[in-house]
Amino acid sequence: MKILIATEKPFAKAAVDGIASIAKEAGHNLALLEKYSSAEELYKAVSDADALIVRSDKVTKEVIDAAGNLKIVVRAGAGYDNLDLSACTQRGIVAMNTPGQNSNAVAELAIGMMIYMSRNSFNPGTGSELKGKSVGIHAYGNVGRLVAKLAKGFDMKVLAFDPFVDKTAIINDNVTPVDSIEELYEKSDFLSLHIPATPQTKGSVGLNLLNRLPKGGCLVNTARKEIINEAELIMAMEKREDIKYVTDVATENHATISEKFGKRVFATPKKMGAETAEANINAGLAAANQIVRFFETGDKTFQVNK
Ligand code: 3PG
């Protein structure tokens, strides 16, 4: 079988080497398309691939249409909002993610962003400490749990809201569950976002929630930029001169936002939550192993288009 790695933002070399040796050992061929700049390059590369490994690369209906032999696509990472699942399903293509594999990298970035915003963007001037502050975890999944664990190491007070997670599991982690999303925002000096981008969540964080942040509150977004209602974010930040926003990654409007709010906002230029060698190796090798198992035994663990 031919496995194609198509990554506009390439994996670390060690991850590519690891995927190559897993593919070779299982008797598959590996092709690599990195740093491509047009969808056409992807259509061409995928045309004879049996399996596809991507990161945040958009696997649209057009990509699926161009991939006549494709049987499986694995998003090496957690969020699969970049995959057209119905196009995959219509063609009988199995779509998977690799949950948890890059979570630590994202959690460390969330904490790093909190420190950066507390320390005057690493400029001279008096900042503040994380110790004693509260952090609200909005969605207690793989990344949220790790942010909670790291935040406790900083002596932060950790709260969480997740209607899909049993409160006992949250309490067992020494984290305080709250009853509503509104309460979470009201009680969080730092609000760490970990919800996926879905039709229901897109644009769901806006004025109503941001207005509830305590004085000096900071929204930390290592999830997806699409979750934020950006027009309302601007309104909230105009109304409240104390609140801050830090995000991985910038939207198209970021230059305007940055000019307007200065050091109260920061955005990474390219999504970098999972940009560590460790995360690339964990997620890349997991993707390769999932593909090998799928071809060998039909194993569909981690399928997301059921
Ligand atoms: C994820 O959903 O796993 C992260 O956002 C990582 O995305 P990336 O692989 O594009 O860095």
Side-chain angles (χ1 to χ4, degrees):
M1 298 285 178
K2 178 172 173 179
I3 302 173
L4 172 69
I5 303 176
T7 46
E8 183 271 323
K9 188 174 64 180
F11 286 126
K13 187 179 177 305
V16 177
D17 291 348
I19 295 169
S21 80
I22 291 168
K24 192 172 170 203
E25 198 159 311
H28 302 304
N29 298 319
L30 188 73
L32 188 59
L33 174 70
E34 292 182 326
K35 295 185 184 172
Y36 56 93
S37 50
S38 71
E40 284 67 29
E41 285 176 74
L42 179 54
Y43 303 157
K44 192 165 172 240
V46 84
S47 62
D48 59 349
D50 299 284
L52 174 63
I53 298 175
V54 293
R55 296 185 63 177
S56 290
D57 307 77
K58 291 203 181 347
V59 181
T60 58
K61 184 174 181 320
E62 289 71 28
V63 174
I64 298 298
D65 286 347
N69 293 344
L70 198 64
K71 294 150 191 78
I72 178 168
V73 51
V74 183
R75 191 282 190 243
Y80 47 89
D81 45 304
N82 53 320
L83 309 182
D84 185 331
L85 294 186
S86 61
C88 290
T89 305
Q90 269 168 28
R91 274 272 313 281
I93 295 166
V94 171
M96 294 184 182
N97 66 348
T98 64
Q101 298 292 345
N102 57 20
S103 305
N104 187 66
V106 181
E108 287 188 13
L109 182 72
I111 297 287
M113 285 176 146
M114 290 178 209
I115 296 177
Y116 181 79
M117 296 306 275
S118 303
R119 292 299 186 96
N120 207 23
S121 315
F122 297 158
N123 286 301
T126 308
S128 58
E129 300 179 17
L130 299 189
K131 183 175 178 175
K133 305 294 185 304
S134 57
V135 56
I137 312 289
H138 186 168
Y140 203 66
N142 289 317
V143 182
R145 269 196 294 274
L146 284 166
V147 173
K149 185 177 165 196
L150 297 175
K152 281 188 286 170
F154 282 86
D155 274 343
M156 297 180 86
K157 185 179 171 206
V158 187
L159 314 161
F161 175 73
D162 193 327
F164 304 104
V165 175
D166 188 349
K167 276 189 182 169
T168 321
I170 299 177
I171 293 166
N172 286 345
D173 286 350
N174 275 326
V175 170
T176 307
V178 297
D179 291 323
S180 69
I181 186 172
E182 289 80 11
E183 186 185 352
L184 187 76
Y185 279 68
E186 278 158 17
K187 293 184 171 169
S188 301
D189 295 314
F190 293 90
L191 193 296
S192 200
L193 259 184
H194 302 293
I195 53 177
T198 66
Q200 291 74 34
T201 64
K202 283 183 186 171
S204 66
V205 175
L207 199 55
N208 171 44
L209 293 174
L210 296 170
N211 243 339
R212 293 173 189 268
L213 289 172
K215 189 166 167 38
C218 181
L219 179 67
V220 182
N221 183 8
T222 54
R224 290 288 183 273
K225 59 185 181 191
E226 293 82 2
I227 294 165
I228 309 297
N229 180 329
E230 211 165 68
E232 291 192 12
L233 169 85
I234 294 171
M235 281 158 74
M237 292 190 74
E238 276 170 345
K239 197 167 152 197
R240 294 266 313 268
E241 289 190 5
D242 57 308
I243 60 176
K244 298 176 192 159
Y245 178 54
V246 55
T247 179
D248 180 33
V249 55
T251 63
E252 301 67 38
N253 291 331
H254 191 72
T256 321
I257 294 178
S258 173
E259 202 175 307
K260 217 173 168 69
F261 301 115
K263 288 209 291 271
R264 289 171 59 206
V265 293
F266 176 77
T268 55
K270 211 165 176 105
K271 188 142 72 78
M272 59 165 295
E275 282 293 77
T276 66
E278 293 90 337
N280 284 183
I281 292 167
N282 291 343
L285 271 56
N289 283 319
Q290 287 172 212
I291 288 169
V292 168
R293 283 199 300 271
F294 171 75
F295 284 133
E296 279 175 5
T297 69
D299 186 346
K300 292 181 188 168
T301 310
F302 305 121
Q303 182 175 6
V304 291
N305 62 334
K306 284 185 242 192

mmCIF file of all heavy atoms in Angstrom, residues 9 11 54-57 75-82 98 102-103 106 222-224 248 271-275 280 283, ligand 1:
data_model
loop_
_atom_site.group_PDB
_atom_site.id
_atom_site.type_symbol
_atom_site.label_atom_id
_atom_site.label_comp_id
_atom_site.label_asym_id
_atom_site.label_seq_id
_atom_site.Cartn_x
_atom_site.Cartn_y
_atom_site.Cartn_z
ATOM 1 N N LYS A 9 2.654 21.995 7.232
ATOM 2 C CA LYS A 9 3.566 22.322 8.344
ATOM 3 C C LYS A 9 4.251 20.992 8.710
ATOM 4 O O LYS A 9 3.646 20.145 9.367
ATOM 5 C CB LYS A 9 2.708 22.850 9.509
ATOM 6 C CG LYS A 9 3.465 23.404 10.675
ATOM 7 C CD LYS A 9 2.494 24.028 11.693
ATOM 8 C CE LYS A 9 1.571 22.995 12.307
ATOM 9 N NZ LYS A 9 0.627 23.550 13.288
ATOM 10 N N PHE A 11 6.309 17.621 9.913
ATOM 11 C CA PHE A 11 6.708 16.969 11.165
ATOM 12 C C PHE A 11 8.215 17.152 11.365
ATOM 13 O O PHE A 11 8.959 17.329 10.386
ATOM 14 C CB PHE A 11 6.505 15.449 11.067
ATOM 15 C CG PHE A 11 5.085 14.968 11.140
ATOM 16 C CD1 PHE A 11 4.570 14.151 10.134
ATOM 17 C CD2 PHE A 11 4.286 15.250 12.233
ATOM 18 C CE1 PHE A 11 3.276 13.652 10.211
ATOM 19 C CE2 PHE A 11 2.992 14.760 12.313
ATOM 20 C CZ PHE A 11 2.486 13.967 11.296
ATOM 21 N N VAL A 54 -2.171 13.384 7.811
ATOM 22 C CA VAL A 54 -2.121 14.854 7.753
ATOM 23 C C VAL A 54 -2.039 15.430 9.157
ATOM 24 O O VAL A 54 -2.242 14.711 10.151
ATOM 25 C CB VAL A 54 -3.375 15.444 7.047
ATOM 26 C CG1 VAL A 54 -3.411 15.092 5.577
ATOM 27 C CG2 VAL A 54 -4.666 15.009 7.754
ATOM 28 N N ARG A 55 -1.760 16.742 9.216
ATOM 29 C CA ARG A 55 -1.845 17.481 10.485
ATOM 30 C C ARG A 55 -3.108 18.361 10.387
ATOM 31 O O ARG A 55 -4.192 17.824 10.334
ATOM 32 C CB ARG A 55 -0.559 18.282 10.715
ATOM 33 C CG ARG A 55 0.652 17.377 10.874
ATOM 34 C CD ARG A 55 1.896 18.141 11.216
ATOM 35 N NE ARG A 55 1.776 18.816 12.507
ATOM 36 C CZ ARG A 55 2.757 19.515 13.073
ATOM 37 N NH1 ARG A 55 3.906 19.651 12.460
ATOM 38 N NH2 ARG A 55 2.582 20.082 14.244
ATOM 39 N N SER A 56 -2.926 19.686 10.348
ATOM 40 C CA SER A 56 -4.124 20.541 10.192
ATOM 41 C C SER A 56 -4.508 20.732 8.730
ATOM 42 O O SER A 56 -5.372 21.547 8.414
ATOM 43 C CB SER A 56 -3.869 21.914 10.820
ATOM 44 O OG SER A 56 -3.816 21.799 12.210
ATOM 45 N N ASP A 57 -3.855 19.982 7.851
ATOM 46 C CA ASP A 57 -4.111 20.104 6.416
ATOM 47 C C ASP A 57 -5.582 19.827 6.096
ATOM 48 O O ASP A 57 -6.170 18.902 6.650
ATOM 49 C CB ASP A 57 -3.225 19.083 5.675
ATOM 50 C CG ASP A 57 -1.785 19.234 6.085
ATOM 51 O OD1 ASP A 57 -1.429 18.761 7.201
ATOM 52 O OD2 ASP A 57 -1.038 19.848 5.346
ATOM 53 N N ARG A 75 -5.646 11.910 10.896
ATOM 54 C CA ARG A 75 -5.236 13.241 11.324
ATOM 55 C C ARG A 75 -4.301 13.003 12.514
ATOM 56 O O ARG A 75 -4.767 12.545 13.587
ATOM 57 C CB ARG A 75 -6.495 14.015 11.748
ATOM 58 C CG ARG A 75 -6.283 15.500 11.967
ATOM 59 C CD ARG A 75 -5.622 15.816 13.281
ATOM 60 N NE ARG A 75 -5.666 17.237 13.528
ATOM 61 C CZ ARG A 75 -4.598 18.015 13.631
ATOM 62 N NH1 ARG A 75 -3.380 17.508 13.519
ATOM 63 N NH2 ARG A 75 -4.748 19.285 13.863
ATOM 64 N N ALA A 76 -3.006 13.249 12.321
ATOM 65 C CA ALA A 76 -2.048 13.060 13.416
ATOM 66 C C ALA A 76 -2.223 14.221 14.392
ATOM 67 O O ALA A 76 -1.584 15.253 14.286
ATOM 68 C CB ALA A 76 -0.628 13.010 12.865
ATOM 69 N N GLY A 77 -3.135 14.048 15.320
ATOM 70 C CA GLY A 77 -3.466 15.099 16.268
ATOM 71 C C GLY A 77 -4.857 14.852 16.817
ATOM 72 O O GLY A 77 -5.455 13.791 16.573
ATOM 73 N N ALA A 78 -5.379 15.843 17.538
ATOM 74 C CA ALA A 78 -6.655 15.649 18.230
ATOM 75 C C ALA A 78 -7.841 16.158 17.413
ATOM 76 O O ALA A 78 -8.782 15.418 17.120
ATOM 77 C CB ALA A 78 -6.602 16.352 19.578
ATOM 78 N N GLY A 79 -7.799 17.457 17.059
ATOM 79 C CA GLY A 79 -8.945 18.082 16.393
ATOM 80 C C GLY A 79 -9.024 17.663 14.938
ATOM 81 O O GLY A 79 -8.057 17.775 14.197
ATOM 82 N N TYR A 80 -10.195 17.181 14.516
ATOM 83 C CA TYR A 80 -10.336 16.705 13.129
ATOM 84 C C TYR A 80 -11.338 17.561 12.355
ATOM 85 O O TYR A 80 -11.974 17.106 11.411
ATOM 86 C CB TYR A 80 -10.706 15.215 13.095
ATOM 87 C CG TYR A 80 -11.814 14.809 14.033
ATOM 88 C CD1 TYR A 80 -13.145 14.859 13.640
ATOM 89 C CD2 TYR A 80 -11.518 14.376 15.321
ATOM 90 C CE1 TYR A 80 -14.157 14.494 14.502
ATOM 91 C CE2 TYR A 80 -12.527 14.012 16.202
ATOM 92 C CZ TYR A 80 -13.845 14.074 15.787
ATOM 93 O OH TYR A 80 -14.848 13.720 16.650
ATOM 94 N N ASP A 81 -11.442 18.831 12.766
ATOM 95 C CA ASP A 81 -12.325 19.767 12.068
ATOM 96 C C ASP A 81 -11.811 20.078 10.660
ATOM 97 O O ASP A 81 -12.511 20.710 9.871
ATOM 98 C CB ASP A 81 -12.486 21.065 12.886
ATOM 99 C CG ASP A 81 -11.162 21.576 13.440
ATOM 100 O OD1 ASP A 81 -10.483 20.813 14.145
ATOM 101 O OD2 ASP A 81 -10.808 22.730 13.153
ATOM 102 N N ASN A 82 -10.592 19.644 10.341
ATOM 103 C CA ASN A 82 -10.029 19.849 9.006
ATOM 104 C C ASN A 82 -10.378 18.725 8.030
ATOM 105 O O ASN A 82 -10.001 18.776 6.865
ATOM 106 C CB ASN A 82 -8.496 19.989 9.091
ATOM 107 C CG ASN A 82 -7.837 18.829 9.835
ATOM 108 O OD1 ASN A 82 -8.341 18.353 10.840
ATOM 109 N ND2 ASN A 82 -6.705 18.375 9.345
ATOM 110 N N THR A 98 -5.578 10.875 16.434
ATOM 111 C CA THR A 98 -4.664 10.196 17.371
ATOM 112 C C THR A 98 -4.796 10.905 18.742
ATOM 113 O O THR A 98 -3.895 11.634 19.154
ATOM 114 C CB THR A 98 -3.200 10.239 16.886
ATOM 115 O OG1 THR A 98 -2.748 11.599 16.861
ATOM 116 C CG2 THR A 98 -3.023 9.624 15.510
ATOM 117 N N ASN A 102 -0.523 14.486 21.317
ATOM 118 C CA ASN A 102 0.237 15.741 21.369
ATOM 119 C C ASN A 102 -0.250 16.665 22.496
ATOM 120 O O ASN A 102 0.101 17.840 22.538
ATOM 121 C CB ASN A 102 0.205 16.464 20.008
ATOM 122 C CG ASN A 102 -1.208 16.760 19.535
ATOM 123 O OD1 ASN A 102 -2.131 16.783 20.331
ATOM 124 N ND2 ASN A 102 -1.371 17.022 18.253
ATOM 125 N N SER A 103 -1.032 16.106 23.423
ATOM 126 C CA SER A 103 -1.689 16.928 24.454
ATOM 127 C C SER A 103 -0.706 17.637 25.374
ATOM 128 O O SER A 103 -0.938 18.781 25.771
ATOM 129 C CB SER A 103 -2.601 16.060 25.320
ATOM 130 O OG SER A 103 -3.506 15.385 24.523
ATOM 131 N N VAL A 106 0.590 20.890 23.966
ATOM 132 C CA VAL A 106 -0.418 21.958 23.967
ATOM 133 C C VAL A 106 -0.618 22.493 25.389
ATOM 134 O O VAL A 106 -0.690 23.710 25.603
ATOM 135 C CB VAL A 106 -1.755 21.449 23.366
ATOM 136 C CG1 VAL A 106 -2.797 22.563 23.355
ATOM 137 C CG2 VAL A 106 -1.551 20.898 21.958
ATOM 138 N N THR A 222 -5.832 27.743 23.278
ATOM 139 C CA THR A 222 -4.970 26.811 22.537
ATOM 140 C C THR A 222 -5.842 25.791 21.804
ATOM 141 O O THR A 222 -5.350 24.744 21.386
ATOM 142 C CB THR A 222 -3.976 26.077 23.470
ATOM 143 O OG1 THR A 222 -4.731 25.450 24.517
ATOM 144 C CG2 THR A 222 -2.937 27.012 24.041
ATOM 145 N N ALA A 223 -7.148 26.110 21.673
ATOM 146 C CA ALA A 223 -8.064 25.197 20.991
ATOM 147 C C ALA A 223 -8.142 25.586 19.514
ATOM 148 O O ALA A 223 -7.236 25.252 18.747
ATOM 149 C CB ALA A 223 -9.422 25.231 21.681
ATOM 150 N N ARG A 224 -9.186 26.297 19.131
ATOM 151 C CA ARG A 224 -9.336 26.722 17.737
ATOM 152 C C ARG A 224 -9.806 28.168 17.698
ATOM 153 O O ARG A 224 -10.696 28.560 18.442
ATOM 154 C CB ARG A 224 -10.380 25.849 17.017
ATOM 155 C CG ARG A 224 -9.946 24.415 16.752
ATOM 156 C CD ARG A 224 -8.902 24.345 15.654
ATOM 157 N NE ARG A 224 -8.533 22.980 15.339
ATOM 158 C CZ ARG A 224 -7.577 22.280 15.957
ATOM 159 N NH1 ARG A 224 -6.883 22.817 16.937
ATOM 160 N NH2 ARG A 224 -7.306 21.040 15.585
ATOM 161 N N ASP A 248 -3.381 30.752 20.215
ATOM 162 C CA ASP A 248 -2.630 29.957 19.250
ATOM 163 C C ASP A 248 -3.694 29.476 18.258
ATOM 164 O O ASP A 248 -4.325 28.456 18.497
ATOM 165 C CB ASP A 248 -1.969 28.767 19.974
ATOM 166 C CG ASP A 248 -1.163 27.876 19.052
ATOM 167 O OD1 ASP A 248 -0.587 28.410 18.106
ATOM 168 O OD2 ASP A 248 -1.113 26.651 19.295
ATOM 169 N N LYS A 271 0.047 28.040 14.059
ATOM 170 C CA LYS A 271 -0.379 27.219 15.196
ATOM 171 C C LYS A 271 0.796 26.382 15.696
ATOM 172 O O LYS A 271 1.386 25.605 14.945
ATOM 173 C CB LYS A 271 -1.533 26.317 14.788
ATOM 174 C CG LYS A 271 -2.163 25.574 15.936
ATOM 175 C CD LYS A 271 -3.661 25.481 15.790
ATOM 176 C CE LYS A 271 -4.099 24.526 14.697
ATOM 177 N NZ LYS A 271 -4.028 23.112 15.078
ATOM 178 N N MET A 272 1.149 26.569 16.965
ATOM 179 C CA MET A 272 2.367 25.917 17.455
ATOM 180 C C MET A 272 2.166 25.077 18.705
ATOM 181 O O MET A 272 3.136 24.593 19.280
ATOM 182 C CB MET A 272 3.450 26.967 17.690
ATOM 183 C CG MET A 272 3.076 28.040 18.692
ATOM 184 S SD MET A 272 4.504 28.977 19.236
ATOM 185 C CE MET A 272 5.446 27.742 20.095
ATOM 186 N N GLY A 273 0.894 24.859 19.094
ATOM 187 C CA GLY A 273 0.641 24.042 20.292
ATOM 188 C C GLY A 273 1.326 22.690 20.219
ATOM 189 O O GLY A 273 1.935 22.230 21.188
ATOM 190 N N ALA A 274 1.231 22.047 19.068
ATOM 191 C CA ALA A 274 1.778 20.693 18.938
ATOM 192 C C ALA A 274 3.155 20.703 18.272
ATOM 193 O O ALA A 274 3.633 19.662 17.828
ATOM 194 C CB ALA A 274 0.821 19.829 18.134
ATOM 195 N N GLU A 275 3.784 21.872 18.207
ATOM 196 C CA GLU A 275 5.074 21.978 17.522
ATOM 197 C C GLU A 275 6.243 21.625 18.439
ATOM 198 O O GLU A 275 7.101 22.468 18.738
ATOM 199 C CB GLU A 275 5.245 23.401 16.972
ATOM 200 C CG GLU A 275 4.464 23.646 15.690
ATOM 201 C CD GLU A 275 4.976 22.852 14.508
ATOM 202 O OE1 GLU A 275 4.676 21.639 14.449
ATOM 203 O OE2 GLU A 275 5.672 23.420 13.667
ATOM 204 N N ASN A 280 5.256 15.558 17.714
ATOM 205 C CA ASN A 280 5.298 15.069 16.329
ATOM 206 C C ASN A 280 5.569 13.564 16.299
ATOM 207 O O ASN A 280 4.939 12.818 15.541
ATOM 208 C CB ASN A 280 6.419 15.751 15.539
ATOM 209 C CG ASN A 280 6.110 17.177 15.127
ATOM 210 O OD1 ASN A 280 6.907 17.794 14.456
ATOM 211 N ND2 ASN A 280 4.968 17.719 15.520
ATOM 212 N N ALA A 283 2.423 11.656 17.812
ATOM 213 C CA ALA A 283 1.238 11.649 16.939
ATOM 214 C C ALA A 283 1.540 10.986 15.587
ATOM 215 O O ALA A 283 0.723 10.217 15.077
ATOM 216 C CB ALA A 283 0.744 13.082 16.730
HETATM 217 C C1 3PG B 1 -4.482 19.200 17.247
HETATM 218 O O1 3PG B 1 -5.681 19.339 17.041
HETATM 219 O O2 3PG B 1 -3.967 18.090 17.481
HETATM 220 C C2 3PG B 1 -3.565 20.391 17.308
HETATM 221 O O3 3PG B 1 -4.249 21.556 17.026
HETATM 222 C C3 3PG B 1 -2.315 20.240 16.467
HETATM 223 O O4 3PG B 1 -2.399 20.744 15.167
HETATM 224 P P1 3PG B 1 -1.120 20.676 14.186
HETATM 225 O O5 3PG B 1 -0.793 19.258 13.950
HETATM 226 O O6 3PG B 1 -1.544 21.397 12.957
HETATM 227 O O7 3PG B 1 0.021 21.390 14.870
#
